[in-house]
Amino acid sequence: MNQITRIRLGVNIDHVATLRNARGTFYPDPLKMVKFLEKLDVDGVTIHLREDRRHIIDSDVKRIKKETFLPVNLEMAATEEMQQIATEVIPNAVCLVPEKREERTTEGGLDVITEENKLQSFLVPLIQKKIRISLFVSPDLKQIEAASRVGANIIELNTGTFCDLLIENNKEYVEEFEKLKEAAVYGKTLGLEIHGGHGLTFDSVKYIASIPEIRELNIGHFLISQAVFDGIEKTINTMRLEIDKSQK
Ligand code: PXP
């Protein structure tokens, strides 16, 4: 497949840090995983610096950005603290996500409409540093319109609901898939680059990678989990193959 048009695979390595933090020791080191990924067929690394630092910590962000040639996508909440870190580290992209302390993982998408004014000024210093701006949103056309208005370059469509429905064999996944397709088309007409992520597995990625507008997928928990059985190289190669086969 043509290298230029191929969907990019961003690997979220948060859960390498989760494993490390479970013992409060120094291994497994997320940077070591980045060094493995550099040799594989991946296009970027994604890390989520959460307010409570439950997995990735500040020094991981700095070391990874300094030591890798892979583009770094920093997921974060729209807080002053994170804005300061992002403007110091200057990742290739920032993906803004909603964050609730009590949640296990990111839930839902950003409420860009309600936060529109705040986001607009929040993004200014990031845009000045030429960081690409991605907003994590549900497949909701009004939110996508607002994402375009606040100056995002990218929307990352939250595939989490779709993946949950598919895994539960709940037929409502069909409706959610239609929403994702419609959202991708709409976002592209507004000039946004379309990414997808959350909950993706070898099965669900087949659907999402078949959406023609999708340019990048960010996948973490499943890849790190599957690597426990198959190793990271085989896991990435299988995911890459599934994406390439499904891409239209
Ligand atoms: N994209 C975003 C915005 C996320 O918050 C996450 C989870 O950190 C992912 C992608 C990756 O999701 P998963 O770990 O379920 O593959």
Side-chain angles (χ1 to χ4, degrees):
M1 180 173 296
N2 183 332
Q3 292 287 332
I4 294 164
T5 58
R6 198 181 191 211
I7 292 174
R8 292 192 301 274
L9 172 60
V11 179
N12 179 314
I13 57 164
D14 291 349
H15 296 302
V16 176
T18 304
L19 208 52
R20 174 194 61 193
N21 297 0
R23 280 293 174 95
T25 181
F26 295 103
Y27 63 89
D29 181 358
L31 178 58
K32 189 166 175 183
M33 178 57 93
V34 172
K35 291 289 153 191
F36 262 96
L37 295 175
E38 285 179 352
K39 297 187 212 122
L40 306 180
D41 201 359
V42 311
D43 305 287
V45 177
T46 294
I47 43 183
H48 186 174
L49 185 66
R50 293 186 75 103
E51 185 198 6
D52 63 7
R53 310 306 199 260
R54 69 177 70 161
H55 36 57
I56 294 293
I57 57 174
D58 300 51
S59 57
D60 295 329
V61 178
K62 288 185 187 138
R63 286 189 310 135
I64 289 168
K65 179 64 183 89
K66 187 157 166 260
E67 303 283 340
T68 187
F69 60 82
L70 288 170
V72 174
N73 174 33
L74 177 64
E75 292 176 4
M76 59 184 222
T79 62
E80 252 178 62
E81 182 197 21
M82 292 299 153
Q83 186 188 51
Q84 173 89 26
I85 292 167
T87 51
E88 271 170 41
V89 174
I90 316 190
N92 300 75
V94 152
C95 180
L96 291 185
V97 298
E99 216 178 273
K100 289 188 223 96
R101 191 170 266 271
E102 66 282 6
E103 71 193 356
R104 245 191 259 168
T105 180
T106 316
E107 287 169 1
L110 274 180
D111 187 352
V112 192
I113 299 170
T114 307
E115 303 280 306
E116 191 162 341
N117 291 339
K118 185 190 145 194
L119 282 173
Q120 209 142 28
S121 49
F122 179 86
L123 292 177
V124 172
L126 305 180
I127 294 170
Q128 277 169 352
K129 297 275 184 186
K130 303 205 176 345
I131 300 169
R132 302 188 79 212
I133 307 297
S134 174
L135 301 185
F136 187 59
V137 291
S138 302
D140 174 324
L141 305 190
K142 294 256 178 297
Q143 295 291 351
I144 294 168
E145 250 170 47
S148 166
R149 285 198 300 272
V150 299
N153 311 100
I154 303 160
I155 47 164
E156 181 167 316
L157 292 173
N158 183 354
T159 55
T161 304
F162 169 77
C163 292
D164 288 346
L165 291 167
L166 191 71
I167 224 163
E168 290 158 11
N169 208 12
N170 181 332
K171 294 289 174 255
E172 285 172 30
Y173 81 82
V174 177
E175 201 182 316
E176 185 67 14
F177 185 50
E178 289 305 314
K179 280 193 203 163
L180 286 164
K181 285 196 287 188
E182 190 189 5
V185 170
Y186 188 59
K188 192 170 176 202
T189 63
L190 297 177
L192 295 162
E193 186 174 305
I194 313 299
H195 297 182
H198 215 272
L200 291 166
T201 64
F202 291 151
D203 287 331
S204 47
V205 84
K206 293 178 186 146
Y207 292 82
I208 304 302
S210 77
I211 301 175
E213 290 76 19
I214 292 280
R215 300 301 326 127
E216 177 175 313
L217 294 172
N218 286 301
I219 312 178
H221 184 254
F222 176 78
L223 290 176
I224 304 303
S225 307
Q226 190 64 22
V228 170
F229 303 111
D230 286 343
I232 194 66
E233 182 168 359
K234 185 174 171 204
T235 304
I236 296 286
N237 288 345
T238 307
M239 185 57 88
R240 230 355 319 168
L241 203 67
E242 292 301 342
I243 294 171
D244 291 346
K245 275 194 309 194
S246 313
Q247 189 176 359
K248 290 194 175 134

